[in-house]
């Protein structure tokens, strides 16, 4: 756990906006909270993707999470909050 990780209150607001984590064909989802914390850590530190610590999962998973989030319309997400 890092000091800037999502708090339980922040996570409670974000979790319903994310896809469920039920196993699907092709594998199971990585823990969304861990990936989000990795995205925030990388953005805050400004390090290369490959330097994201393993405690946030694979750097590729964190990168794909950012790419998928950028594909969403930010207005849609803000409307949900």
């Amino acid at each position: 756990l890092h000091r800037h990780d999502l708090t339980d209150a922040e996570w409670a607001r974000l979790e319903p906006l994310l896809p469920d984590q039920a196993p699907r064909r092709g594998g199971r989802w990585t823990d969304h909270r861990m990936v989000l914390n990795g995205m925030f850590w990388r953005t805050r530190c400004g390090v290369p993707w490959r330097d994201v610590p393993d405690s946030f999962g694979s750097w590729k998973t964190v990168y794909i999470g950012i790419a998928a989030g950028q594909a969403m319309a930010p207005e849609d997400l803000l409307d949900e909050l």
Side-chain angles (χ1 to χ4, degrees):
L1 187 65
H2 298 88
R3 69 184 176 128
H4 295 293
D5 285 354
L6 290 170
T7 64
D8 290 338
E10 293 167 334
W11 178 242
R13 292 190 69 190
L14 287 173
E15 186 177 25
L17 305 175
L18 301 170
D20 67 25
Q21 294 192 261
R24 293 196 180 0
R25 184 173 164 217
R28 59 185 173 88
W29 291 91
T30 302
D31 178 41
H32 294 313
R33 189 173 186 172
M34 179 178 65
V35 173
L36 283 170
N37 285 330
M39 288 183 218
F40 298 146
W41 184 89
R42 191 270 173 184
T43 301
R44 197 172 43 255
C45 295
V47 299
W49 287 107
R50 291 181 184 260
D51 292 339
V52 172
D54 292 336
S55 62
F56 297 117
S58 164
W59 69 268
K60 291 179 186 178
T61 303
V62 176
Y63 175 80
I64 290 169
I66 287 277
Q70 290 174 342
M72 283 181 58
E75 303 83 34
D76 296 341
L77 183 59
L78 291 176
D79 288 343
E80 295 295 325
L81 290 174

